[in-house]
Amino acid sequence: NAGVTQTPKFRVLKTGQSMTLLCAQDMNHEYMYWYRQDPGMGLRLIHYSVGEGTTAKGEVPDGYNVSRLKKQNFLLGLESAAPSQTSVYFCASSTRYRQETYEQYFGPGTRLTVT
Amino acid sequence: SQQGEEDPQALSIQEGENATMNCSYKTSINNLQWYRQNSGRGLVHLILIRSNEREKHSGRLRVTLDTSKKSSSLLITASRAADTASYFCATQQGFAGGGADGLTFGKGTHLIIQP
């Protein structure tokens, strides 16, 4: 099992460029999440998905879009990158029973720099 | 907004000593989880404690939860150099609190184990 994988690992963008981050999981988890982590901060939730074809906004969704066309994949898009989006992005997945979220499994992260 | 806040922000101890980190949160929760992050890596789940539990053990880890004080502590006994990492608490809010499905992370405690 590869667990949660993310591509790319590193990326440098110019302001205004667009890109898509790909997250894939092979654990058949229903829930998937995108977080960003800035220096000295914990993780902040950008968007999440409770199943194929459904997405929802998290704490800091502005400037990002997501799609979950397949259960195993969760894409994070930046339409017009800004320097404030320089960060490390983590994808995670989890199972859930009723109203309780179980442990989340994290990918290795994507380090994005916007100049 | 951060739900959990860890204390202290940084902790340096000698190998073999015990390390204690604390987490406080603001709203009702379903569960509280602790994660470890090695430098430049993704987060790894350590332990989950449910709101109806008071204490939980896993190897050298001991977690306590006091819902009346909205606080939790993580104790690592007989610390090793390999325990050097950042430790985050994360809460999943109770349904009655209207929380989102994702976890809410604190800013973390950076633990350094001196050999």
Side-chain angles (χ1 to χ4, degrees), chain A residues 43-107:
Chain A
L43 277 69
R44 291 183 292 168
L45 183 65
I46 305 171
H47 286 279
Y48 64 98
S49 168
V50 302
E52 185 177 322
T54 69
T55 63
K57 294 180 180 179
E59 181 187 351
V60 288
D62 293 343
Y64 306 95
N65 56 75
V66 288
S67 65
R68 186 134 179 237
L69 300 179
K70 294 182 180 181
K71 187 176 184 179
Q72 63 267 33
N73 294 339
F74 195 27
L75 305 179
L76 178 71
L78 286 73
E79 290 185 347
S80 179
S84 60
Q85 294 178 304
T86 293
S87 188
V88 181
Y89 291 85
F90 289 99
C91 176
S93 70
S94 72
T95 59
R96 177 181 172 93
Y97 177 70
R98 294 183 181 173
Q99 291 153 12
E100 184 173 6
T101 301
Y102 289 169
E103 62 184 277
Q104 295 193 4
Y105 293 81
F106 282 81

